[in-house]
Amino acid sequence: MAIKKIQSALISVFYKNNLESIISLLQKQGVTIYSTGGTQRFIESRGASVVPVEELTGYPSIFGGRVKTLHPKVFGGILHRRDLQGDVSQAEEYQIPAIDLVIVDLYPFEETVAAGGTEEEVIEKIDIGGISLIRAAAKNYKDVLIVASKEQYRELQERLEQNEGGSTLEDRRYFAAQAFKVSSHYDTKIFNYFNDKEEIPALKVSENQYKVLRYGENPHQQAAFYGDLEALFSQLNGKELSFNNLVDVDAAVNLIEEFEGETAFAILKHTNACGVAIGESVADAYNKAFQADTISAFGGVLITNHTVDLAAAEAMHGLFFEVLIAPGFENDALELLKGKKNRILLEQKMKLEGKKLIKTLLNGYVEQDKDSRTESEKDFKVVTKKSPSEKEKKALVFALKVCKHTKSNTIVLSNDNQLFASGVGQTSRVDALKQAIEKAKSFGFDLNGSVMASDAFFPFPDCVEIAGKEGITAVVQPGGSIKDKDSVDYCDAHGMSMVMTGVRHFKH
C-alpha cells in the first residue's frame, strides 16, 4: 500500500505519559506540530518547536479552556479532502493548512465519576473539543491518522518507524476504528451517568477491557470476557479461568453474599449449590458442605466468606476442585493449596456492585433488576395453627437463601446450618422434592425435623403431603396459589408449620 508522509500534526492530550518518544520521532521527521496549553508546554520542554493553535486560529483559548480547537482552521485542516480539487482550493483560499496526524485523548470523565466527583466536577470533564477532533479525524481517515488514546502510542510509534514517518490507508482505517471505539465508549458512560436519574428507556453497555477465553461452554464455541476481573479478584494460582468457570464463579459469589456475618462455605456445580453450610470455622463449614454431596463436589467451584487457614486447606486439599474463592488465604494454607498447579485460587477483593442483569434473548436483549430481596424471619407470615420454633425459623431463612440461588423448579431441604439436598431445575415441583429427598437419604441425612423451602407456590397439596411423610416439620413458600388452603389444611392436620413470604424466587 502507498505510504502517506506525515507533514503536520495536532497534539492535544490530557495524559502525557509515554508521549515523549512520539514527539522525538516527529521532530526527527521534520513534522510541523500544532498544540496548545499544557501539551504545548510539555512538547516545548522536550526541545521541539510548536505552532500554537491560537496562532493558527487567531483566537485565544476562551471560557476557561472550554473553547480552544473549535475553529474552521483546525477542523478544515483535518476534514478537507485532499483528492477533491474543490476542497483543496478552499483550503488555499482560507489559508487552512492540512493536518495529517491528530493525537488527542479525552478528559477523565469515567474516572471522575468513579472517584465520587461532584456534579460540577463531572460536567467539566465532559470533553467537547477532543471528541470532535477524534470524530473529524476518524471520518477523514483517507487522509488523516488519528490516535485517540495513550494506549495506542506504542503501536503508533512502531508503525511510524516501520513506514519512515508515514502511514498506509490500512493503518489509518485501523486507527479510525479504534478512535470510534474510544468515542462511543465515552459517550456511553456520559449517557449512563445522566440516565441514572432520568431513566430514559435505552440500553447502553460498553466495556473496553476484555480477555479471550480458551473456549465457550463447549470447545467448538469461541468466547471472551468483557470487564475488569482484576478489580474483583487476585488470581494466586492455577490455569486461566474458562467460560464455565466464570459462570460458576458468578453464581458462587452471589450465593455467598447471602451469609454476611456468618462463617459460610458453598460448593457449586453448573451454577447450583451441591453443598452449603455455616460453621464454627471455615474447616467446619467446608466439612458440612461437603457432606451434602460428596460426589458432585468433585470438579466443583468452592467459596467461603472467611480467610482460609491451614485447617481448612488440609480439609479440602484431597478433593479435586476447579476453583476456590476466599477473601484471604493464610500463608501456610496457600502454600499447601498451591500444591496442585492447575487449581485456581482467587482472592476476592470487593463485593459485586451491579444492580442489573442483562442477557441476549431472541433478536434483542432483556434487562431486569438483580434479585436483591432476601427474606428474614420478620417477612414470615404464619398461615398454620402451629408456628415454627425459633430453630425452625432460622432453618427456613437458611433454606430460602439457598433456594433463591438454585435453578427452578427447586425444593431445598436443610436444617439451620446445613443444606441436606435440593431438587434442581425440574419441570415439576413434585419431581424437585422427590429428587431432593432421594439425594438427602443417599448421603445419610435423617429428614425428621428438617425444613423445606420452595422457590414458588405449591399448586397442589402433594408436596406438603410427601414432605410430611418424610418427617419434614416446617415449610416456607411464597403462597399465591388458588389452592393454598389445601396445603395449609394438610399441615394443620399433621402438626406441621408453614410460613408464606409473598415473594417468588424463580431462577432460569
Side-chain angles (χ1 to χ4, degrees), residues 37-48:
T39 307
Q40 177 186 339
R41 290 189 293 274
F42 175 84
I43 296 171
E44 289 174 334
S45 72
R46 268 54 184 177

Side-chain angles (χ1 to χ4, degrees), residues 78-97:
I78 295 169
L79 283 166
H80 82 269
R81 292 157 290 188
R82 279 58 156 180
D83 59 349
L84 282 186
Q85 187 55 49
D87 283 15
V88 174
S89 296
Q90 281 190 314
E92 291 174 352
E93 178 183 357
Y94 295 106
Q95 298 181 325
I96 299 174

Side-chain angles (χ1 to χ4, degrees), residues 321-335:
F321 58 86
E322 288 276 337
V323 184
L324 171 60
I325 310 154
F329 295 83
E330 292 187 358
N331 290 335
D332 50 3
L334 185 60
E335 287 308 306

Side-chain angles (χ1 to χ4, degrees), residues 53-234:
V53 168
E54 294 85 351
E55 184 178 308
L56 173 64
T57 63
Y59 275 87
S61 174
I62 56 177
F63 308 129
R66 282 190 167 197
V67 179
K68 291 183 286 191
T69 57
L70 294 168
H71 192 280
K73 283 203 171 182
V74 174
F75 282 86
I78 295 169
L79 283 166
H80 82 269
R81 292 157 290 188
R82 279 58 156 180
D83 59 349
L84 282 186
Q85 187 55 49
D87 283 15
V88 174
S89 296
Q90 281 190 314
E92 291 174 352
E93 178 183 357
Y94 295 106
Q95 298 181 325
I96 299 174
I99 296 174
D100 304 317
L101 168 66
V102 175
I103 302 176
V104 62
D105 60 12
L106 301 170
Y107 291 159
F109 174 86
E110 194 174 351
E111 294 85 346
T112 305
V113 173
T118 64
E119 178 95 342
E120 183 178 359
E121 290 170 335
V122 169
I123 297 304
E124 283 307 308
K125 290 300 184 287
I126 298 177
D127 207 309
I128 303 300
I131 202 82
S132 302
L133 289 168
I134 288 172
R135 291 180 65 83
K139 177 177 180 177
N140 199 25
Y141 70 87
K142 287 187 177 181
D143 297 306
V144 181
L145 178 61
I146 172 66
V147 176
S149 168
K150 65 181 186 295
E151 308 300 330
Q152 298 164 14
Y153 287 172
R154 182 183 297 276
E155 194 169 11
L156 170 66
Q157 183 172 350
E158 289 173 355
R159 299 209 183 192
L160 290 181
E161 288 173 346
Q162 180 182 338
N163 297 324
E164 298 182 348
S167 66
T168 65
L169 180 60
E170 184 181 48
D171 291 336
R172 296 191 295 276
R173 196 180 193 284
Y174 166 78
F175 278 100
Q178 292 283 359
F180 283 123
K181 171 188 166 185
V182 170
S183 65
S184 63
H185 177 79
Y186 196 74
D187 285 337
T188 295
K189 296 302 178 180
I190 293 171
F191 170 77
N192 287 337
Y193 171 78
F194 280 93
N195 207 38
D196 189 52
K197 293 182 180 178
E198 306 305 329
E199 297 185 349
I200 299 166
L203 177 62
K204 305 286 185 182
V205 179
S206 180
E207 284 291 348
N208 281 333
Q209 296 192 60
Y210 74 98
K211 182 180 181 63
V212 176
L213 305 176
R214 297 197 305 272
Y215 50 81
E217 282 186 282
N218 302 291
H220 63 275
Q221 295 171 265
Q222 294 183 346
F225 174 83
Y226 289 87
D228 187 5
L229 270 181
E230 291 183 3
L232 186 60
F233 301 114
S234 292

